[in-house]
Amino acid sequence: MASIERKKMDNALKQVVISALREQGFKGSLPHFRRINENNIDLITFQFNKWGGSFVVELASCSKEDTPVIRGEKLPPNKVTAHFINDRFRLGGKSLDEGGIWFNFESAKSDQDYIEVANSVLKLLHTSDKTWISSLYK
């Protein structure tokens, strides 16, 4: 069962980040989201620290026609998540080799503190540009 702090962070992400992702065409639910574009699929996954208090946002892209094969079956576009893609970027990282930003909510005391963490994620997501995630691979 998720901690109270994790539930509060999930609620803040839903209120701030997920609502913005939905406006930009992303579908899915925490922790996995996807947007099927003309030529590719943009993927965003929130990976929470198993000990609590922080998370990282992973970004990936794959071709609509060349989705990953899992257990001998090609995944349909609406089932692909960032975790199925070997080369994933972390939000805030400049390359595949950088660790990105771990968003820390361990010291959050009020609902507003959780909202501020969610806002810090939103500021770094450039998903209004449908080529942003795929351009990270160049």
Side-chain angles (χ1 to χ4, degrees), residues 29-47:
S29 59
L30 269 175
H32 304 293
F33 296 89
R34 74 193 55 78
R35 174 174 61 194
I36 301 173
N37 298 315
E38 186 176 329
N39 297 314
N40 72 306
I41 306 169
D42 289 332
L43 304 162
I44 298 176
T45 292
F46 295 79
Q47 179 183 332

Side-chain angles (χ1 to χ4, degrees), residues 68-102:
V69 174
I70 306 299
R71 294 185 204 101
E73 303 239 356
K74 190 174 178 180
L75 286 175
N78 67 335
K79 297 294 182 190
V80 177
T81 69
H83 285 164
F84 292 120
I85 308 301
N86 289 330
D87 293 334
R88 297 187 299 267
F89 290 85
R90 287 191 166 171
L91 190 61
K94 305 266 189 263
S95 71
L96 286 170
D97 299 327
E98 286 191 23
I101 298 171
W102 280 88

Side-chain angles (χ1 to χ4, degrees), residues 50-61:
K50 67 180 175 180
W51 292 285
S54 64
F55 64 93
V56 67
V57 181
E58 294 192 323
L59 311 167
S61 182

Side-chain angles (χ1 to χ4, degrees), residues 99-115:
I101 298 171
W102 280 88
F103 297 92
N104 191 321
F105 59 94
E106 211 166 38
S107 61
K109 304 269 188 263
S110 68
D111 289 345
Q112 186 56 39
D113 292 338
Y114 291 96
I115 295 290

